[in-house]
Amino acid sequence: MKQAYVGVAILFLVGLLTSGMFLLLSHLASAYRPTKVKAMPYESGINPLGDTRERYSVKFYIVAMLFIVFDIETIFFIPWAVIFRDLGLFGLIEMFIFIFVLGVGLAYAWKKGALEWD
Amino acid sequence: MIADFFFVLFAVMAIGGAISMVLARNPVASLLYLVVAFFALSGTFVLLDAHFIAAVNLIVYAGAIMVLFLFVIMLLNLGRSEKVDLRGPLNRIVAITVAGAFFALLFVALSAGSQTEMAGGMGQATVDAMLQSRGAVGVVADPMFRSYLVPFEITSLLLLAAIVGAIVLARRRAP
């Protein structure tokens, strides 16, 4: 079973090597002569307004949180689907209870307008 | 032999990542160190033959939840002024006490149970046979949907609480 991870390790090493080579080669090939104008952040050609640490709207947080919750729900579907045939009706009912509880959450989010942007 | 080497490698990565996470001044750098720690933990799960848990740990924790943390860091607007607010002498005493107590608890818990007990008394051959016959996911799925049915259903309530909590916190109007 663990022999299957040799491929994962090779992929990981190739990824590390590739990104490392990008950094090394661009470091070796480039001429580093910074000026004040060059070091400025690029903002479509105009002078930057403020800095990059802008505060984001809290709406992004709701979207991210809802995504996480339903992402975790999906994770539970995978083992359920694998043994679905063995579980039969019993498995169907228990998964429906699970989905129902989360459906209540989705209905609540919908009712409260959390799915709307404005 | 190789497993021992990888265990040490992942253990060093996990502990190094965790320490770097705490020590990093930049919150985004902390986040990336935490991803390193999670990756190393996934490697440890693989060494324990918990293949499904390792994959889920990478997808959910290192992927999705780290993005959520990044959102929170951007919402909090950290990094502009590096105010140190938890460095008082009293806080230091409290922190050392809590960390020491937690370490002592872990030490007692780990030295009380032997390794075979923690693995459910199964040898490597039994684990391999189970993985062979039911697959990496089936080994987890079978007890989850049969013996641990109630905890599974309670998980849905936990997720429901997360939805409601996020909405209540985020939709509250500023006074």
Side-chain angles (χ1 to χ4, degrees):
Chain A
M1 192 76 194
K2 281 178 200 129
Q3 281 83 347
Y5 286 91
V6 172
V8 178
I10 290 172
L11 189 67
F12 188 73
L13 284 179
V14 168
L16 216 62
L17 208 70
T18 313
S19 48
M21 284 306 276
F22 276 134
L23 285 176
L24 186 72
L25 287 178
S26 65
H27 180 77
L28 290 177
S30 65
Y32 184 64
R33 282 187 291 273
T35 63
K36 196 165 178 289
V37 180
K38 274 194 207 166
M40 251 164 39
Y42 181 73
E43 214 168 277
S44 306
I46 58 166
N47 286 339
L49 310 163
D51 66 4
T52 42
R53 294 198 182 272
E54 203 57 38
R55 284 182 85 171
Y56 284 70
S57 167
V58 77
K59 289 169 195 160
F60 288 102
Y61 174 71
I62 299 187
V63 173
M65 197 68 200
L66 289 176
F67 166 71
I68 300 273
V69 167
F70 291 108
D71 190 37
I72 294 170
E73 184 193 6
T74 314
I75 289 292
F76 280 106
F77 277 115
I78 298 169
W80 177 74
V82 166
I83 60 159
F84 173 64
R85 277 178 207 283
D86 297 339
L87 288 171
L89 187 65
F90 175 67
L92 198 64
I93 290 167
E94 64 179 326
M95 192 42 101
F96 263 108
I97 296 170
F98 185 75
I99 296 170
F100 175 75
V101 174
L102 281 164
V104 171
L106 184 63
Y108 176 78
W110 198 339
K111 191 88 188 16
K112 282 279 172 186
L115 301 181
E116 266 148 72
W117 195 250
D118 296 312
Chain B
M1 202 50 215
I2 300 172
D4 284 342
F5 167 73
F6 276 109
F7 175 74
V8 172
L9 178 75
F10 288 136
V12 169
M13 259 173 82
I15 294 169
I19 290 173
S20 312
M21 186 208 91
V22 175
L23 294 180
R25 310 274 308 170
N26 185 342
V28 179
S30 290
L31 190 82
L32 292 176
Y33 283 123
L34 192 57
V35 172
V36 171
F38 276 133
F39 181 84
L41 282 183
S42 266
T44 317
F45 282 138
V46 168
L47 293 179
L48 290 170
D49 276 307
H51 304 278
F52 181 63
I53 306 296
V56 167
N57 187 44
L58 275 187
I59 294 168
V60 174
Y61 269 93
I65 290 180
M66 286 302 107
V67 174
L68 182 74
F69 281 10
L70 192 65
F71 270 79
V72 171
I73 286 170
M74 294 196 305
L75 288 171
L76 290 176
N77 201 17
L78 289 173
R80 176 165 290 172
S81 58
E82 306 227 327
K83 275 189 198 148
V84 185
D85 55 355
L86 287 171
R87 291 279 171 93
L90 187 69
N91 280 314
R92 185 161 291 189
I93 293 167
V94 171
I96 289 171
T97 314
V98 171
F102 186 67
F103 183 77
L105 191 71
L106 270 183
F107 185 77
V108 170
L110 288 179
S111 52
S114 71
Q115 258 190 323
T116 33
E117 268 178 285
M118 279 194 286
M122 278 187 274
Q124 183 66 42
T126 325
V127 173
D128 282 344
M130 275 172 70
L131 284 173
Q132 200 62 250
S133 66
R134 282 190 288 178
V137 183
V139 170
V140 179
D142 223 38
M144 186 156 99
F145 292 103
R146 287 186 213 276
S147 326
Y148 298 101
L149 175 60
V150 174
F152 164 69
E153 298 293 359
I154 290 172
T155 310
S156 68
L157 291 177
L158 194 67
L159 293 175
L160 180 67
I163 296 175
V164 174
I167 290 170
V168 166
L169 282 175
R171 308 269 319 165
R172 191 165 50 194
R173 294 274 164 267

